[in-house]
Amino acid sequence: MNTVIIKYNAGNTQSVIFALNRLGIEPEVTGDFEAIRKADKVIFPGVGEASSTMRYLKELKMDQLIPELKQPVLGICLGQQLMCAHSEENDTTCLGIFDQEVKRFIPEQKEKVPHMGWNELFDTKGNLMKDLPDPNVYFVHSYYVPVNEHTSAKTNYITPFSAAMQRDNFYAVQFHPEKSSAQGQKIIQNFIELCD
Amino acid sequence: MLKKRIIPCLDIKNGRTVKGINFVNIRDAGDPVELGELYAQQGADELVFLDITATNEGRKTFVALVKDIALHLNIPFTVGGGISSVEDVAPLLQAGADKVSVNSSAVKTPELINELVDAFGSQCIVVAIDARQVDGQWIVHTHGGSKPTEKELFSWALEVEKRGAGEILFTSMDHDGTKAGFAIEALKKMCELVGIPVIASGGAGNMEHFEEVFQQSDADAALAASIFHFREIGIPDLKAHLKTKNIAMR
């Protein structure tokens, strides 16, 4: 089992590495295309702003690599947003794995943006979400993916949105499983144990 | 529904927890890693580790401890104390901290907030504000609350938000240590003014105080130190109590 975390200008990947370490996994953090293609599992983390991150991915030609990967790929937070077609955040064309528009939260009744803290998953389906000990996971984000045909878990904040999505070998979560206590750990474990 | 957060704060000096820790069921009550793990197991929603010596003595928060905490902790945590530049923050985030808090240095150089936000994103920049009432006005204090400044609390909170901070940690020096309850009026006003999450700090003495702060203000989180460390309130009991009062708890 070889798990790769895609290395690019994505802010902090250390907590994802540590979460894998807690499961006894030593991930390889690399930007090398061959290593990424050969990996059993690929994690695509992301914290930061969409347009500058996409620009960086394009410079590295990762915008071509990532959508063509065949093994299970897990996008986290900004990773999920970048897997969509387009983001309202600085009008950014994204990777197009999920044919969705990423939108900014618009407060209706003085709700705060970013959506920060623990919130519940509901309508969960698929292997990634199985056997969770608790529905609460940790979110920090100002943009969201609307509910769509690929949604595998929903959360309510101002509006129901896609807390998780799946299409073929591509998995994505808006929350931070690496910071979501035992249930987050279970989701990462579920991803690692996926076989396709 | 978004849950309200309960946040224990651990003061760190020379890599050890200080300010009275009274746990019988852990091996080393001064070990921040072990204590952090215990709080996480008990249901703490987040943790704050403050290097209390850092500002006054110019010491930098030590990366090794942060890395050890991050390796063991599966909930978010904030690190603060002595952060005064982008260069101070990078190693802390690389070590696995989720957020950093700045206080005195942001008051001294407000542009620092913009610089940190541009470099690392709003989501990981917490601005801690210590204030007390002077002649009926809430005045911001720095250096552990020892130095008054020219700044008024609410205008500073608005400026902090405008500069891009992701969260405000407001400590009322008037309430801190009194165990008489949080600064409800000031928190109410601050939460009405700003659109970013606010953490209430200072004054927690019993479970009803947490109930009050969540029912009467829009604070997103409540932070306390000694009442958790001395086991005057257990986190599981506190969360169970707040749930019975229909306050959204994890």
Side-chain angles (χ1 to χ4, degrees):
Chain A
M1 171 66 73
N2 162 10
T3 302
V4 156
I5 297 176
I6 298 180
K7 185 180 181 179
Y8 70 110
N9 188 22
N12 180 19
T13 55
Q14 193 61 55
S15 41
V16 179
I17 297 170
F18 285 155
L20 289 162
N21 291 162
R22 289 194 289 271
L23 291 167
I25 294 155
E26 289 292 337
E28 186 183 352
V29 183
T30 179
D32 180 73
F33 278 32
E34 266 324 287
I36 295 170
R37 281 199 192 100
K38 277 199 250 167
D40 297 308
K41 299 280 156 46
V42 174
I43 295 179
F44 176 45
V47 170
E49 188 274 328
S51 67
S52 55
T53 310
M54 271 311 298
R55 205 176 312 127
Y56 195 82
L57 287 172
K58 279 182 185 163
E59 272 170 31
L60 297 174
K61 297 202 170 14
M62 290 225 185
D63 61 319
Q64 293 162 37
L65 171 77
I66 295 168
E68 288 174 1
L69 292 173
K70 303 293 179 219
Q71 67 276 64
V73 178
L74 175 62
I76 298 176
C77 195
L78 182 64
Q80 159 165 306
Q81 297 177 7
L82 296 180
M83 285 164 126
C84 292
H86 183 264
S87 173
E88 282 183 3
E89 189 173 18
N90 292 315
D91 188 18
T92 303
T93 301
C94 301
L95 298 172
I97 294 165
F98 297 97
D99 183 23
Q100 291 297 316
E101 166 85 9
V102 182
K103 295 177 182 296
R104 186 173 170 89
F105 280 122
I106 309 288
E108 286 176 356
Q109 295 167 339
K110 289 191 63 197
E111 295 94 345
K112 293 170 187 179
V113 177
H115 173 221
M116 183 188 285
W118 298 81
N119 205 334
E120 274 162 58
L121 302 174
F122 65 97
D123 288 353
T124 56
K125 58 186 182 192
N127 290 336
L128 207 59
M129 298 293 150
K130 70 179 183 200
D131 303 329
L132 302 186
D134 186 302
N136 289 290
V137 290
Y138 187 80
F139 292 89
V140 185
H141 61 126
S142 299
Y143 292 81
Y144 70 96
V145 184
V147 170
N148 62 79
E149 61 185 304
H150 305 297
T151 301
S152 57
K154 299 174 196 166
T155 293
N156 262 325
Y157 190 69
I158 303 174
T159 179
F161 68 88
S162 292
M165 297 192 288
Q166 188 200 342
R167 203 201 106 199
D168 306 324
N169 57 318
F170 291 99
Y171 297 78
V173 292
Q174 180 59 66
F175 53 89
H176 288 275
E178 75 278 14
K179 287 288 157 185
S180 294
S181 195
Q183 49 279 26
Q185 189 126 331
K186 179 64 181 163
I187 288 166
I188 296 172
Q189 191 185 346
N190 286 341
F191 176 71
I192 295 302
E193 288 171 358
L194 286 173
C195 40
D196 59 339
Chain B
M1 190 174 200
L2 183 62
K3 305 301 192 289
K4 300 292 186 182
R5 288 171 280 155
I6 300 295
I7 307 178
C9 177
L10 287 78
D11 288 347
I12 308 292
K13 194 174 184 178
N14 302 322
R16 309 283 295 170
T17 313
V18 293
K19 208 181 184 178
I21 302 292
N22 184 18
F23 278 102
V24 290
N25 55 341
I26 60 175
R27 276 166 288 144
D28 177 359
D31 179 358
V33 178
E34 203 176 348
L35 195 59
E37 269 188 289
L38 180 73
Y39 281 134
Q41 282 163 19
Q42 290 182 340
D45 296 303
E46 216 169 304
L47 291 170
V48 172
F49 294 88
L50 285 183
D51 188 354
I52 54 164
T53 56
T55 304
N56 288 331
E57 300 172 20
R59 291 195 309 106
K60 301 301 173 194
T61 316
F62 16 95
V63 175
L65 174 64
V66 172
K67 196 165 182 178
D68 204 15
I69 292 166
L71 180 57
H72 289 89
L73 208 62
N74 61 8
I75 60 169
F77 71 99
T78 302
V79 181
I83 293 167
S84 56
S85 68
V86 167
E87 290 69 35
D88 291 339
V89 173
L92 294 169
L93 295 180
Q94 278 157 19
D98 299 292
K99 309 179 199 177
V100 294
S101 82
V102 288
N103 190 337
S104 304
S105 56
V107 173
K108 191 175 158 200
T109 317
E111 297 74 26
L112 174 66
I113 301 170
N114 306 66
E115 287 169 23
L116 295 177
V117 167
D118 287 346
F120 307 108
S122 287
Q123 80 290 334
C124 70
I125 307 303
V126 182
V127 175
I129 307 178
D130 298 338
R132 62 160 46 104
Q133 281 181 292
V134 180
D135 300 329
Q137 257 216 326
W138 281 93
I139 300 298
V140 176
H141 286 59
T142 58
H143 297 81
S146 61
K147 285 191 190 172
T149 71
E150 304 282 294
K151 290 189 191 295
E152 186 273 329
L153 172 64
F154 301 106
S155 58
W156 177 232
L158 279 169
E159 182 179 344
V160 158
E161 177 185 28
K162 201 171 160 199
R163 290 183 181 277
E167 202 165 29
I168 292 172
L169 164 52
F170 164 49
T171 301
S172 164
M173 309 303 302
D174 290 337
H175 295 72
D176 201 27
T178 64
K179 296 191 180 182
F182 292 93
I184 302 281
E185 290 308 316
L187 283 160
K188 264 164 88 167
K189 190 167 173 188
M190 184 180 287
C191 292
E192 277 165 23
L193 281 174
V194 302
I196 53 175
V198 173
I199 304 169
S201 160
N206 57 42
M207 297 205 244
E208 286 70 29
H209 293 148
F210 288 89
E211 188 185 325
E212 275 165 25
V213 77
F214 289 133
Q215 282 178 343
Q216 295 178 29
S217 82
D218 280 331
D220 299 87
L223 176 143
S226 57
I227 53 158
F228 295 137
H229 302 329
F230 283 110
R231 305 214 303 172
E232 290 166 28
I233 295 179
I235 293 172
D237 293 342
L238 174 61
K239 295 184 87 172
H241 172 79
L242 295 174
K243 273 183 192 171
T244 67
K245 303 293 174 186
N246 294 321
I247 293 162
M249 282 283 130
R250 177 167 72 95

